[in-house]
Amino acid sequence: MTVDSGKVVVFVTTSGEEEAEKIASLLLEQRKAACVNVIPRVSSRFWWQGKLDSAQGSLLIIKTRAVLVPELTEIVKKAHSYTVPEIVALPIVGGNRDYLDWVDQETS
């Protein structure tokens, strides 16, 4: 197991598949992500402006280096339709060393 790989998985929910594909393309073209999975349909329930709400959308699962999260966040915020988009980065604490090396190569 690799500990503190310097890589992260970032979750971003979007208003739908079209917005998800647009953001995924931006991140990949600018080399802020090595891989982006697009899950076309997710249902979200959340608190918004003091009341429970829900929405249908898409989910991006982004693999990148931790040092790129601030730039990635800015790109997503500029391209996103939500006032407060979900952008959550979780550390990758282990995994296939070959894959993690590939993430480095593709985002350098």
Side-chain angles (χ1 to χ4, degrees):
M1 177 190 262
T2 304
V3 177
D4 190 18
S5 68
K7 313 310 176 292
V8 295
V9 173
V10 181
F11 295 105
V12 175
T13 51
T14 67
S15 63
E17 196 170 354
E18 185 177 325
E19 184 172 64
E21 294 289 350
K22 178 180 88 172
I23 291 170
S25 293
L26 282 170
L27 295 174
L28 290 164
E29 288 164 6
Q30 295 182 43
R31 296 286 188 168
K32 303 306 176 201
C35 175
V36 181
N37 303 112
V38 178
I39 300 175
R41 284 173 288 187
V42 296
S43 177
S44 299
R45 297 194 44 84
F46 50 90
W47 283 98
W48 183 247
Q49 298 180 337
K51 60 184 176 187
L52 282 175
D53 203 347
S54 64
Q56 302 298 311
S58 294
L59 174 66
L60 298 175
I61 303 173
I62 304 159
K63 277 70 77 176
T64 191
R65 292 182 293 135
V67 298
L68 295 176
V69 171
E71 293 173 75
L72 179 149
T73 298
E74 286 308 309
I75 292 166
V76 171
K77 287 171 74 174
K78 286 179 183 169
H80 209 291
S81 63
Y82 293 173
T83 306
V84 182
E86 173 190 8
I87 307 168
V88 178
L90 304 174
I92 297 174
V93 297
N96 178 354
R97 172 49 52 199
D98 295 333
Y99 182 83
L100 297 175
D101 289 345
W102 173 79
V103 171
D104 272 335
Q105 292 168 11
E106 296 304 322
T107 58
S108 293

